[in-house]
C-alpha cells in the first residue's frame, strides 16, 4: 500500500512538471530573460502542490466511466488550454510588463494562495471521497465540515481562484477572462451531473444540504 502511494505521488509530480513545463516554461524560452523572473517558478511550484493533493490522472484517459460524462477531461483541458493561452499572451503580447511585480501581482498571488489553500483544505476534508471521476460510494456521506460548511464544492472554487489568479499574476487579462468563462462552464456542468448522482444515492440528506449551503459562490449560487 505504501509503495503504491509513493508511486502515485511520483506519477502526480511527474504529470504536473510535464504539464507546467509545456504550459509555462516552453513559451518562456522565446524570451529567455523571462526565466529570471520569480513568477515562472512560483507557477511551477503551485502546479506541483495542487497535483500532489488530488488523485493521479491522465489528461487523455480512455478508461473514463460513462457516469463522469467527460467532465474530468473537460475540467483539465479547460485549465491547460486557458493557462497556455494566458502564458502566450504574457510572453508575446505583454512582455516585459507581464512580469512586472506591482500591486496586481501581489493581489493575484494572494488570490492564488487562497485558492490553493481552499482546494487543499477541501481535498483533505473529503479524504477518500475526493475522486477524479464523478463517484458516489456505497458508504458515501454528506460532508458538512471544513470548507463544506460554506460552499458545497470548495475544491472547484479553490481551483477556479487559483487558475484565474495565475493569469492575473502574469497580467494576462484576456487569458484570465477565458479561464474564468471556460472553467465556470466546466464546473457548472460537473456540478450538475455530480449533484444529480448525490441526490439519487443520498436522497433527502443531500437535498437538505443543497438548500442550506450555496454551490460555488456564497450568497450568489
Amino acid at each position: 500500500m505504501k509503495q503504491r502511494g509513493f508511486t502515485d505521488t511520483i506519477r502526480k509530480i511527474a504529470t504536473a512538471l510535464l504539464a507546467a513545463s509545456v504550459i509555462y516554461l516552453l513559451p518562456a524560452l522565446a524570451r529567455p530573460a523571462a526565466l529570471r523572473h520569480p513568477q515562472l517558478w512560483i507557477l511551477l511550484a503551485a502546479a506541483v502542490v495542487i497535483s500532489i493533493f488530488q488523485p493521479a490522472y491522465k489528461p487523455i484517459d480512455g478508461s473514463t466511466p460513462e457516469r463522469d460524462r467527460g467532465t474530468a477531461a473537460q475540467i483539465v483541458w479547460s485549465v491547460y488550454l486557458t493557462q497556455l493561452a494566458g502564458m502566450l499572451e504574457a510572453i508575446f503580447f505583454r512582455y516585459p510588463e507581464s512580469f512586472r511585480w506591482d500591486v496586481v501581482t501581489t493581489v493575484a498571488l494572494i488570490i492564488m494562495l487562497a485558492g490553493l489553500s481552499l482546494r487543499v483544505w477541501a481535498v483533505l476534508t473529503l479524504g477518500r471521497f475526493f475522486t477524479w471521476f464523478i463517484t458516489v460510494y456505497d458508504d458515501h456521506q454528506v460532508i458538512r465540515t471544513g470548507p463544506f460548511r460554506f460552499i458545497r464544492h470548495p475544491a472547484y472554487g479553490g481551483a477556479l481562484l487559483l487558475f484565474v489568479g495565475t493569469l492575473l499574476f502574469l497580467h494576462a487579462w484576456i487569458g484570465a477572462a477565458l479561464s474564468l468563462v471556460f472553467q465556470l462552464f466546466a464546473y457548472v456542468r460537473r456540478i450538475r451531473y455530480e449533484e444529480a448522482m448525490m441526490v439519487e444515492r443520498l436522497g433527502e440528506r443531500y437535498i437538505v444540504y443543497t438548500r442550506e449551503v450555496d454551490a460555488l459562490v456564497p450568497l450568489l449560487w
Side-chain angles (χ1 to χ4, degrees):
M1 185 64 70
K2 290 183 178 180
Q3 180 63 35
R4 180 179 178 182
F6 177 76
T7 302
D8 283 346
T9 299
I10 295 299
R11 175 183 163 190
K12 288 187 285 188
I13 293 174
T15 300
L17 287 174
L18 177 60
S21 296
V22 171
I23 292 170
Y24 301 126
L25 297 184
L26 189 60
L29 294 178
R31 297 191 185 274
L35 297 172
R36 296 198 297 267
H37 294 279
Q39 287 93 322
L40 280 178
W41 307 105
I42 290 173
L43 294 179
L44 190 68
V48 171
V49 172
I50 197 173
S51 292
I52 290 173
F53 289 96
Q54 67 182 18
Y57 71 94
K58 300 176 184 176
I60 300 175
D61 192 343
S63 64
T64 303
E66 184 178 352
R67 66 177 181 274
D68 186 73
R69 308 291 185 95
T71 59
Q74 182 181 3
I75 289 170
V76 74
W77 284 105
S78 294
V79 170
Y80 279 3
L81 294 178
T82 56
Q83 291 294 295
L84 180 58
M87 188 62 192
L88 293 174
E89 177 186 350
I91 290 294
F92 293 103
F93 298 100
R94 301 194 185 278
Y95 189 84
E97 289 77 12
S98 53
F99 287 88
R100 181 181 66 246
W101 199 291
D102 55 16
V103 174
V104 172
T105 313
T106 301
V107 171
L109 180 59
I110 293 171
I111 293 172
M112 289 168 56
L113 292 175
L116 182 59
S117 299
L118 180 59
R119 171 86 174 186
V120 171
W121 188 16
V123 171
L124 293 177
T125 301
L126 276 183
R128 67 182 179 85
F129 294 129
F130 184 81
T131 57
W132 183 248
F133 299 120
I134 295 176
T135 303
V136 179
Y137 295 109
D138 291 337
D139 62 341
H140 217 101
Q141 304 170 21
V142 179
I143 305 297
R144 302 191 63 160
T145 57
F148 295 89
R149 292 173 291 174
F150 312 111
I151 54 175
R152 300 198 301 272
H153 300 279
Y156 302 155
L160 183 67
L161 287 174
L162 173 62
F163 291 116
V164 172
T166 59
L167 298 182
L168 295 176
F169 190 58
L170 296 174
H171 301 77
W173 316 118
I174 296 174
L178 289 174
S179 180
L180 178 63
V181 170
F182 280 91
Q183 280 195 90
L184 271 177
F185 180 75
Y187 290 130
V188 168
R189 181 170 177 266
R190 170 91 167 200
I191 288 170
R192 172 189 171 191
Y193 292 125
E194 184 175 323
E195 294 204 330
M197 186 178 295
M198 295 290 280
V199 169
E200 179 183 344
R201 299 289 293 275
L202 301 179
E204 188 64 22
R205 288 176 295 163
Y206 197 79
I207 293 174
V208 170
Y209 181 48
T210 64
R211 291 172 181 164
E212 295 178 350
V213 179
D214 291 317
L216 196 62
V217 183
L219 304 179
L220 290 178
W221 178 71

